[in-house]
Amino acid sequence: MCDCCNDEVRVRFAPSPTGRLHLGGARTAIFNWAFARSMGGKFILRIEDTDPTRSTDENREVILRALKWMGLDYDEGPDVGGEYGPYLQTQRTDTYQEALQELIDKGAVYPCFCTKETLDAKRAAAEAEGRAYEGYDRTCRDLDPAEAKARMEAGEPFVWRLKVPLDHGPIAFDDAVYGHTEFPAEVMDDMIVVRSDGSPTYNFAVVCDDTNMKITHVIRGDDHLSNTPRQILIYEALERPIPTFAHLSMILGPDGKKLSKRHGATSVEEYRDRGYLPDAFNNYLALLGWSLDGETTIIPRDVLCSKFSLDHITKKDAVFDEAKLDWMNGMYIRSMDPATWVDACRPYLVEAGANEADINANHGYYEKMYALVGERLTHLTEVSEKLAYLFWGPEVKLDEKSVTKVLKKEGCRADEVLPAVRDILADESIPWETAALEAEVEKLVEKLDLKKKFVFQPIRVAVCGNMVSPPLFESIELLSRADVLARIETTIAEVF
């Protein structure tokens, strides 16, 4: 358990709005969200927008949209409020000033007047002499208080540095993933906590925010592991409870290198736009560094929320394999009910030729389309291509390769098959439903003394446009009799 006095588990996801939400950040958000839900705690969204050159309102909205699409509902955040707001760092400057004043009153910080040029010169001198630069040498640490005050009042620029105790032993903590971890205090220089312009440094702002928001567990990428001892020093100086830390391993590409754009899509919205389901996406990312039992791969959202635990996170770097994500997405699509599938596919159905009003008015009709392609989809985006033929009306868009291989193939007798099929389908005494239509057409196989494929394939091309399409008679049932007959007649006229 954490060292915090608060009994309620409180975790936070704190992205910087400097770009899109990438896979690493998305996984961190999932782990925080799932842990909070499994512990009956709170999941907080905090936006660390203190970089004035890169943090934008637009980027913040991108992050909010991505989290909303993933279904990671947060209990407190910039757009939902909460007891410990505001949830934008740029709106929390008063809290940083209060914490700084507390450190000043305790004598835990001191003003430093060393300029950047001075520090750069010392670094260069060390390198020239073949010495390792050991960081800030505490030049201003023991300045006479009166001198320091006079220089501040005179307007000389300065920063505030943390006065790291010289007798501090190893900075130790028990990481929930890496176990007992120690850093030697003697390698820690007196870090800057507040810059000369009055803005807080990253480590100082994070500690202030996590303290004031009563964060009990800090779950984040292991690229922050080196920040942890510095932050612990600040917690100690402020005499605040130290949360439990859990650092997550890196996500690598299949080539074993850090995941990047060269491996394909990297942002959440790219995966959304490529037709992935949020539950499949979350499920897959959750398995990058965590497992339920070492075997189970399909983990529904409610199971993830109830069974997630920090002790099942591994230290081993995770490998992102898009082929596995594709497989999982297909599994989730196949488990959907038709009504949910229609709603998820709306933009792709519209792209195929449907319109929103008709989908709303005839939802049941569109639900029948799920049976045509549900078992065959890897991405929802495939719907627009696979089902476009259902929206052609009386027209047919013939694939030339299919025409050549099926309709014009020597000996296939498609010129006999299609007129005969047209006559059967024109008979209104035959119910316009899959089983009845298929049974009547199958009689042609024996009547014309042809193999079944030489009867069915020409129909498929004439009605659906090519020789590879969803189930034939199930498709015909979803089309009107008039449109099917018109397509067959057009094909006969154009091909023979």
Side-chain angles (χ1 to χ4, degrees):
M1 289 297 293
C2 71
D3 299 322
C4 301
C5 59
N6 184 23
D7 290 332
E8 179 184 57
V9 165
R10 291 178 58 82
V11 297
R12 48 69 166 183
F13 176 54
S16 298
T18 55
R20 295 181 180 274
L21 180 59
H22 289 174
L23 296 182
R27 182 190 62 169
T28 298
I30 291 169
F31 280 23
N32 276 279
W33 170 80
F35 181 64
R37 295 293 172 260
S38 70
M39 299 297 290
K42 293 292 194 297
F43 173 50
I44 294 98
L45 174 64
R46 183 175 75 228
I47 302 296
E48 298 185 343
D49 58 344
T50 53
D51 183 340
T53 60
R54 300 175 63 204
S55 297
T56 66
D57 291 343
E58 180 181 354
N59 286 337
R60 183 173 75 236
E61 290 304 313
V62 166
I63 291 171
L64 296 182
R65 285 199 305 269
L67 293 175
K68 182 177 180 181
W69 175 76
M70 293 170 68
L72 303 186
D73 53 318
Y74 38 91
D75 303 289
E76 301 171 27
D79 55 339
V80 299
E83 184 179 354
Y84 299 98
Y87 296 91
L88 302 179
Q89 279 190 334
T90 50
Q91 298 175 4
R92 299 181 63 82
T93 53
D94 57 331
T95 64
Y96 309 137
Q97 290 301 317
E98 290 172 6
L100 174 62
Q101 189 59 53
E102 184 177 340
L103 293 177
I104 293 172
D105 293 343
K106 291 178 177 179
V109 293
Y110 60 92
C112 173
F113 302 91
C114 296
T115 64
K116 181 179 183 299
E117 291 72 22
T118 298
L119 298 175
D120 287 345
K122 289 183 177 181
R123 178 190 296 273
E127 293 174 350
E129 295 171 9
R131 294 183 289 108
Y133 181 65
E134 298 180 353
Y136 178 64
D137 60 6
R138 299 185 168 100
T139 298
C140 298
R141 179 168 175 139
D142 296 319
L143 278 179
D144 179 82
E147 178 188 346
K149 181 179 180 182
R151 292 173 71 173
M152 287 190 287
E153 290 177 347
E156 185 175 347
F158 67 93
V159 298
W160 286 102
R161 289 184 180 272
L162 186 72
K163 188 180 290 186
V164 178
L166 299 180
D167 60 350
H168 198 296
I171 304 168
F173 60 97
D174 292 320
D175 191 277
V177 177
Y178 284 84
H180 187 74
T181 306
E182 293 187 0
F183 290 83
E186 56 266 25
V187 302
M188 299 292 168
D189 62 5
D190 289 355
M191 75 193 86
I192 297 173
V193 292
V194 175
R195 304 181 185 91
S196 58
D197 63 0
S199 64
T201 58
Y202 168 78
N203 284 320
F204 184 55
V206 164
V207 170
C208 292
D209 290 342
D210 285 346
T211 292
N212 291 330
M213 293 181 179
K214 301 187 183 302
I215 299 302
T216 62
H217 295 72
V218 175
I219 306 170
R220 60 189 180 187
D222 64 4
D223 54 326
H224 285 286
L225 190 58
S226 61
N227 286 323
T228 303
R230 296 179 175 276
Q231 292 173 8
I232 287 176
L233 289 171
I234 298 172
Y235 277 109
E236 291 175 346
L238 287 168
E239 299 180 313
R240 298 292 196 275
I242 299 172
T244 294
F245 291 97
H247 289 93
L248 312 176
S249 62
M250 293 178 62
I251 301 178
L252 307 178
D255 58 1
K257 297 180 180 179
K258 185 177 180 180
L259 195 67
S260 66
K261 288 185 178 180
R262 70 175 178 275
H263 296 109
T266 58
S267 75
V268 171
E269 289 192 313
E270 285 179 281
Y271 282 93
R272 177 202 65 190
D273 294 343
R274 288 174 59 192
Y276 289 91
L277 292 168
D279 282 357
F281 184 75
N282 292 351
N283 186 161
Y284 182 71
L285 287 190
L287 293 176
L288 296 181
W290 175 85
S291 69
L292 179 63
D293 52 22
E295 297 180 1
T296 306
T297 54
I298 302 300
I299 305 174
R301 180 178 294 257
D302 59 337
V303 175
L304 183 61
C305 285
S306 62
K307 299 297 184 180
F308 187 89
S309 62
L310 298 181
D311 59 354
H312 281 203
I313 298 175
T314 178
K315 290 184 287 188
K316 184 179 179 181
D317 288 334
V319 176
F320 181 82
D321 185 343
E322 196 165 283
K324 291 183 179 179
L325 173 58
D326 287 346
W327 169 83
M328 185 168 288
N329 201 55
M331 293 293 288
Y332 268 85
I333 291 174
R334 287 188 280 281
S335 70
M336 298 177 82
D337 65 81
T340 302
W341 176 81
V342 170
D343 292 333
C345 289
R346 278 177 182 269
Y348 311 115
L349 288 169
V350 170
E351 189 176 317
N355 64 72
E356 285 280 0
D358 189 55
I359 295 173
N360 293 334
N362 299 292
H363 207 275
Y365 168 75
Y366 288 90
E367 290 173 22
K368 294 178 181 178
M369 296 179 188
Y370 177 72
L372 300 181
V373 294
E375 293 290 326
R376 299 166 175 80
L377 295 176
T378 299
H379 307 100
L380 295 182
T381 48
E382 298 171 61
V383 165
S384 56
E385 179 182 356
K386 289 184 180 297
L387 294 181
Y389 70 95
L390 292 177
F391 304 98
W392 290 343
E395 298 180 2
V396 61
K397 300 176 183 179
L398 295 172
D399 170 58
E400 290 185 11
K401 183 178 179 181
S402 298
V403 169
T404 300
K405 292 190 69 173
V406 175
L407 300 185
K408 293 184 176 181
K409 184 176 180 179
E410 186 176 352
C412 76
R413 296 163 58 190
D415 56 336
E416 293 180 52
V417 171
L418 290 182
V421 169
R422 176 197 55 198
D423 292 342
I424 291 172
L425 298 181
D427 185 351
E428 296 188 3
S429 68
I430 301 172
W432 196 256
E433 56 187 36
T434 300
L437 294 171
E438 186 171 5
E440 289 298 323
V441 172
E442 277 191 341
K443 294 177 181 178
L444 280 178
V445 174
E446 183 176 350
K447 182 178 180 181
L448 297 178
D449 191 23
L450 285 169
K451 292 182 179 179
K452 187 173 181 179
K453 68 176 183 178
F454 290 135
V455 173
F456 280 47
Q457 282 192 347
I459 305 172
R460 185 182 299 280
V461 175
V463 175
C464 304
N466 61 68
M467 57 187 177
V468 181
S469 64
L472 176 58
F473 289 95
E474 288 82 349
S475 297
I476 290 176
E477 180 181 325
L478 292 179
L479 295 166
S480 72
R481 190 187 300 268
D483 285 349
V484 171
L485 295 175
R487 293 184 190 186
I488 293 174
E489 289 167 359
T490 296
T491 301
I492 293 171
E494 290 186 3
V495 177
F496 307 113

